[in-house]
Amino acid sequence: MAGDNIKFEQSYSFRSLPTKTFSFLQDKDALALFMKWSMLGRISAQSFSFDQSFYSYDCEKFALCFFTDPEVVSCLKRLESRDWVPLDKSVVSVDVEVVPCTQVSMELFDPIYSCGVVRPSGQIIKCFHDVHPDYDELRQMLQEEDSENFHVFGRETRGEFLFRVFKHLCLGGELCQYEDTIESYVNTTKHVYKDLISVQKDPDTKKISTVSTVLRVRASDESGRCFPGVKEEEQTFAYLIIDPFKRHVTLFCHFYGVGNVPY
């Protein structure tokens, strides 16, 4: 009983922050690219405050509290076919992956320019593929472990949140119109990452470092996986991005499918 009381006392509660906005979801150029990449209307970010100090060892409890909090649940929707539906069953478990988030520079992507994926002009090099008629060295490098350039980026680099954002944008949605040049992918990745991640500067060394904890999350109800999708799909994702100092958390999501298009 005492243990139960302690657990209750240390649980988190959340409040929506509707006034907190993200420029990558308002900038007309970014929105035009999301539409081109079939992600418009399916990529989102919403923030909440929380009431207890966050510690890295609390990741799973934090995520479970998040997905069972009444205010959070009232804000959450998932896509079923092409309809947005609420989470109608209680979440009973969460799968949490801690995602490394240490990068403060786009230099991470420098190897792309010297390995045969893009030309000096930034043009992405096309390549033959047995399945995809319009394929390129960039997507091959990102997806196929037996490709010539896959190992240009090691496992540690590929695990970084910055790299994951880049990969998500490059692969896009179901009817993605892929870019011919690398610039839009890199610039939009930078825009999204800067919007989502919190940093601090050391007063002595002046060095900038990240303070955010990033979790990739998958929630399940009594019937199985329920959020962000009922089945595993690389481009259907949900990340919790936690600022422990402000006590803010942002849910960054994308639901794979056909994005919004103008009529």
Side-chain angles (χ1 to χ4, degrees), residues 134-235:
D134 179 25
Y135 208 53
D136 57 56
E137 293 285 354
L138 177 61
R139 279 178 284 155
Q140 189 172 63
M141 179 271 292
L142 290 173
Q143 293 179 285
E144 300 185 15
E145 292 190 27
D146 59 351
S147 67
E148 181 180 349
N149 291 308
F150 185 86
H151 298 290
V152 168
F153 294 99
R155 183 183 300 273
E156 185 175 326
T157 299
R158 287 175 175 269
E160 281 280 343
F161 184 57
L162 177 60
F163 190 94
R164 294 185 189 214
V165 172
F166 176 74
K167 182 178 180 180
H168 287 314
L169 297 182
C170 289
L171 299 183
E174 189 173 346
L175 297 181
C176 181
Q177 300 175 56
Y178 300 102
E179 297 295 318
D180 293 323
T181 60
I182 195 78
E183 182 181 21
S184 292
Y185 293 134
V186 172
N187 289 345
T188 309
T189 297
K190 182 178 180 180
H191 193 170
V192 172
Y193 189 75
K194 286 184 68 176
D195 249 9
L196 294 174
I197 296 302
S198 301
V199 298
Q200 65 180 6
K201 180 185 285 189
D202 186 291
D204 297 322
T205 65
K206 308 303 181 186
K207 182 180 179 181
I208 296 174
S209 60
T210 61
V211 299
S212 299
T213 294
V214 180
L215 311 174
R216 184 162 186 171
V217 290
R218 301 165 179 88
S220 298
D221 58 29
E222 60 186 12
S223 301
R225 183 78 56 81
C226 65
F227 190 89
V230 297
K231 62 181 180 179
E232 189 67 22
E233 159 58 56
E234 185 174 21
Q235 287 296 94

